[in-house]
Amino acid sequence: MGRVIWLRCRGWEQEGLLRLFMNSLDPEVAECPEELIVYGGTGKAARDWESVERIKEKLMQLENDQTLLVQSGKPVGVFTSHPFAPRVIMAGSLLVPAYSDYDTFWQLERRGQTAYGQSTASCWAYIGTQGVLEGTANTYGEVARRHFGGSLRGRWVLTSGLGGMGAAQPLGVEYNGGVALVVEVDEARVDRRLRNSLCQMKATSLDDALFLVREAVLRKEPRSVALVGNAADVYRAVLQRGVVPDVVTDQTAAHDLLNGYVPAGVSLSEAIKLRASAPEKYLERSRSGIVEHVKTMMEFMRNGAVVFDYGNNIRHQAAAAGLTGALEIPGFVSAYLRDYFCAGRGPFRWIALSGRAEDIYALDEFILAEFKDDEAITNWIRFVQDRIPFQGLPARICWLNLDQRLRLVDIIIKLLRERKLGAPVALTRDHMGNIASPWRETEKMPDGSDAIADWPVLSGLLNAISGASLVSIQQGGGVGIGYSIHAGMTVIVDGSGLSGKKAAQVTYSDVGLGIIRHADAGYPLAREMSRQYGLNMD
Ligand code: NAD
C-alpha cells in the first residue's frame, strides 16, 4: 500500500491539522456547515468565513518550528517556537469568571469578538456522532448494571434530541439490548439519522411510537424509534397516558436556551424567526418551557423511572428558572461513569488522514489481535465495524486505558513504518477526562473540589510541553457558558521518531493528569492507578 504523499503544508503536523479542520466542516460531518456549526447547539469550527480562509492559509504557510495562535476561532498570530512545540494553540470562548454568563457572551459574539466552540468543534477533533457513541453505550451499560441486572433487554428509554451527540443514543441503547424512543423537533435531523443507520425507524404518531416500543419490549428485541415532536409535549403526553418508561433522559441542546432548545408551543420554523426577532421573548418561553419539561421528568422519577441529566445542564436550567427539586435529578457522569475516569479509561480517537477506510480497517484487525482478551474492546470494534458509517475522514473511537492507548500508539507507528497505512494518523479525544464541570464531569467530587478549574489549565499546559500538535483551552462545552473549562489535544503521528516520541509522551501526560486529578480528590481507585503508573506524589 503506497503513501499519499501530496501535501499542501510544510509538514504533516500542519497538513494533518488542516485536514481535521476541513473535516469538521464537511457537510457529512457538521450539523450546519453553512453557519460553521459543527454540533452541540452552536459549537463552531471557526469564528467566521474570513477566519476559515485565514486558518487554511496560515496552516499552509506554517513552518515546522512555528506555532499558530487561534483565539475563539480566529487566527491571531504566528510565533517562532520549535519542532517539539504544538503547531497550533487555541483559547476558546473564555471570559473572566465574573462575566462568564450568556448575556455577556452573546453580546460579544454579536460583535464578532468571540465564538462558542462546544468541546471538539473549535479544536477540530469532531468525527461525527461516532465520537460520543461508546460513551453513550457505556452510560446505558452502567444504567443496565445498576438498575436492571446487567442488560436493557425488555426495557425502554424515553429520550430526546437527534443532533450531533444525541444521535448516538439510539445505538447506545440498542447496544445494551434495549428499546429507545427518541423525540426530535427537527424532521430533517430524524431523516439524516435514518439515512445513516443511526436510528432504525420513524414513528408516524405517539400511538404508533408506543406501539413499536411495546412490541419490541415484549419481544425483548433491541429497537430504536424516532418521533418528530417537541420533547416537553411528548413527555407530558406519555405521562398523561399513565405510561412509565424504564429510563428517561434528554439530549436537546438545553445548555443554550436561545439557540439550542425549542420551547413547547413554538414550531421549528417559528423558533428560527423568533430567536432573531425577539430573543428576550424567546428566552422567556424557553425558561417556562424547560420548567414544564423537567417537571415531567421529575414526575417520571417519582413514578419509578430511572431519570438522569445527560450532560446538557437541563436540570440546572430548570432550577435557575425557578423549579424546586430539579437538582435532585442525578447527572450521568457522577451517577454512572466516574469509575472509568478514576481508572484513566476514556474516549480515545484515531483518524485516518488519508481519508481511506482501509486504514481504519487495517488498524481494526491489529487491535482485535492485540486486545483479543478484552471483550469490551473486541465487542466494540466488531459492533462499530458492522453498524457505524464513517462521517468524513474515517475514524474510530474506543474507551481505552493508559496501557492500551500506548499499545495502540505502537501499533500505529509500526503500521506507518511498514507503509501499511495510506497517510499519517491523528490521535485525539473528547474533553471528558480533562475538564472542570461542576454539573457534569466534576459533579460531587468527594473532596468538594467540583468547581476547581486549575486541572484543565494544567492539562493544556502539560500537553503543550509534552509534544501535542494542537492544544486548546476552552469554556462552556457540554453544559454551556459559565459552567465548564476544558482542554483538548491532538497529536499527528507520521511514523517518524519525533512524532512517535510526542505521541507516547502526550498519551502518558494526558491520561496521567486525569488520574492524578481524581486521586487528588480522594478516589481510592485513582490512587491505586496512580501508584501502578508511577504517578503518585507520595
Ligand atoms: P445539537 O445542537 O446538534 O442537537 C440538539 C438537537 O435537539 C437538535 O436536533 C434540535 O432540533 C433538538 N431539540 C431542541 N429542542 C428540542 C425540543 N424541545 N424537543 C425535541 N428536540 C429538540 O446538539 P448535540 O451535539 O446533539 O448535543 C446535545 C446536548 O448534549 C448539548 O447540550 C450538548 O452540549 C450536550 N453534550 C452531551 C454530551 C454527552 O456526552 N452526553 C457530549 C457533548 C455535548
Side-chain angles (χ1 to χ4, degrees):
M1 226 179 283
R3 287 268 185 95
V4 176
I5 49 165
W6 176 70
L7 296 183
R8 287 155 296 187
C9 300
R10 296 179 182 177
W12 259 112
E13 278 192 301
Q14 302 90 309
E15 177 72 25
L17 295 175
L18 176 63
R19 290 183 189 196
L20 293 180
F21 174 50
M22 292 170 73
N23 186 56
S24 57
L25 289 171
D26 183 321
E28 271 188 34
V29 178
E31 291 298 309
C32 187
E34 55 282 12
E35 291 180 42
L36 304 175
I37 293 174
V38 183
Y39 79 107
T42 56
K44 283 175 144 189
R47 180 103 54 96
D48 46 35
W49 283 103
E50 192 188 335
S51 298
V52 171
E53 291 313 314
R54 301 261 297 152
I55 288 170
K56 286 200 245 173
E57 183 189 307
K58 291 292 161 201
L59 284 172
M60 285 190 250
Q61 293 165 351
L62 202 67
E63 299 289 348
N64 293 320
D65 60 356
Q66 288 184 320
T67 297
L68 169 67
L69 275 60
V70 178
Q71 177 256 325
S72 291
K74 178 177 137 182
V76 290
V78 171
F79 285 82
T80 298
S81 53
H82 50 84
F84 206 76
R87 295 285 70 81
V88 178
I89 55 173
M90 300 176 158
S93 325
L94 290 156
L95 298 170
V96 167
Y99 295 81
S100 273
D101 55 63
Y102 266 112
D103 285 341
T104 311
F105 181 79
W106 285 324
Q107 204 180 3
L108 295 166
E109 191 187 33
R110 274 194 292 274
R111 284 199 225 140
Q113 291 168 326
T114 189
Y116 182 61
Q118 200 24 282
S119 299
T120 52
S122 65
C123 57
W124 317 333
Y126 186 70
I127 56 168
T129 298
Q130 188 190 174
V132 80
L133 186 57
E134 194 182 355
T136 310
N138 286 344
T139 304
Y140 286 113
E142 285 304 317
V143 168
R145 269 186 282 284
R146 306 274 171 97
H147 308 286
F148 304 111
S151 166
L152 290 182
R153 275 165 61 83
R155 307 283 175 177
W156 74 285
V157 177
L158 175 63
T159 185
S160 44
L162 282 171
M165 296 287 96
Q169 298 181 99
L171 271 187
V173 172
E174 279 187 58
Y175 187 71
N176 289 287
V179 180
L181 173 55
V182 192
V183 186
E184 166 58 60
V185 76
D186 182 350
E187 189 156 19
R189 302 242 198 174
V190 170
D191 293 340
R192 181 173 179 177
R193 306 316 170 202
L194 293 172
R195 261 197 321 275
N196 290 344
S197 318
L198 290 169
C199 187
Q200 285 178 353
M201 50 186 87
K202 173 162 82 170
T204 52
S205 63
L206 179 57
D207 283 336
D208 185 36
L210 291 175
F211 172 81
L212 291 168
V213 165
R214 206 169 302 121
E215 183 183 62
V217 164
L218 289 174
R219 290 184 186 163
K220 294 194 170 16
E221 281 175 6
R223 177 174 286 177
S224 52
V225 181
L227 176 65
V228 179
N230 191 295
D233 286 337
V234 173
Y235 286 21
R236 176 57 51 180
V238 172
L239 184 78
Q240 281 168 349
R241 286 171 194 222
V243 177
V244 181
D246 296 293
V247 181
V248 180
T249 186
D250 173 278
Q251 249 194 82
T252 58
H255 69 274
D256 181 343
L257 289 181
L258 181 60
N259 304 298
Y261 183 76
V262 179
V266 180
S267 71
L268 184 62
S269 54
E270 284 164 357
I272 293 164
K273 283 189 211 134
L274 196 62
R275 277 170 183 156
S277 64
E280 280 311 320
K281 193 167 163 204
Y282 190 97
L283 280 168
E284 229 177 84
R285 296 198 64 162
S286 266
R287 285 191 196 103
S288 55
I290 216 150
V291 163
E292 291 308 312
H293 188 151
V294 175
K295 216 187 255 178
T296 310
M297 291 172 72
M298 289 164 67
E299 283 178 54
F300 279 129
M301 195 157 85
R302 275 194 287 277
N303 291 344
V306 171
V307 177
F308 61 93
D309 176 311
Y310 211 157
N312 59 0
N313 224 8
I314 193 167
R315 61 192 157 148
H316 199 267
Q317 298 281 29
L323 180 64
T324 313
L327 300 179
E328 283 160 25
I329 295 177
F332 79 112
V333 178
S334 60
Y336 302 115
L337 294 183
R338 181 68 42 76
D339 283 355
Y340 285 90
F341 296 113
C342 290
R345 188 166 183 148
F348 194 53
R349 302 171 182 190
W350 52 102
I351 303 164
L353 295 170
S354 62
R356 294 161 24 143
E358 302 97 285
D359 285 6
I360 293 298
Y361 296 133
L363 282 164
D364 284 351
E365 290 316 304
F366 276 85
I367 290 166
L368 288 171
E370 176 77 15
F371 301 108
K372 61 180 182 306
D373 299 327
D374 189 325
E375 272 193 5
I377 296 176
T378 53
N379 287 347
W380 182 254
I381 295 291
R382 290 201 180 95
F383 177 76
V384 287
Q385 266 185 345
D386 191 38
R387 293 292 300 269
I388 280 290
F390 295 127
Q391 288 175 258
L393 288 175
R396 284 272 181 264
I397 183 157
C398 190
W399 281 46
L400 300 176
N401 66 24
L402 177 53
D403 283 334
Q404 293 162 340
R405 290 185 203 203
L406 289 169
R407 279 156 71 191
L408 178 57
V409 168
D410 286 344
I411 291 173
I412 292 170
I413 292 171
K414 177 176 162 345
L415 293 189
L416 282 166
R417 288 190 179 155
E418 290 171 1
R419 298 188 167 266
K420 288 190 173 141
L421 302 177
V425 172
L427 296 178
T428 182
R429 54 155 173 77
D430 74 19
H431 296 192
M432 293 188 81
N434 305 66
I435 186 165
S437 185
W439 289 102
R440 232 176 94 142
E441 283 85 348
T442 52
E443 179 177 13
K444 294 194 180 143
M445 299 302 271
D447 64 347
S449 61
D450 306 17
I452 299 282
D454 301 334
W455 298 100
V457 177
L458 283 175
S459 167
L461 296 171
L462 182 63
N463 280 330
I465 58 165
S466 297
S469 306
L470 177 150
V471 170
S472 67
I473 298 181
Q474 306 163 213
Q475 84 133 329
V479 281
I481 295 297
Y483 293 102
S484 64
I485 294 189
H486 40 103
M489 72 83 192
T490 297
V491 199
I492 308 296
V493 190
D494 63 11
S496 67
L498 181 67
S499 87
K501 187 173 174 205
K502 289 177 172 197
Q505 209 159 293
V506 170
T507 302
Y508 184 79
S509 302
D510 193 51
V511 182
L513 189 75
I515 294 173
I516 288 179
R517 194 274 175 266
H518 288 85
D520 190 73
Y523 284 101
L525 174 58
R527 289 193 168 158
E528 175 50 33
M529 297 311 294
S530 178
R531 265 190 296 277
Q532 268 187 36
Y533 290 127
L535 295 160
N536 62 316
M537 300 291 292
D538 309 335

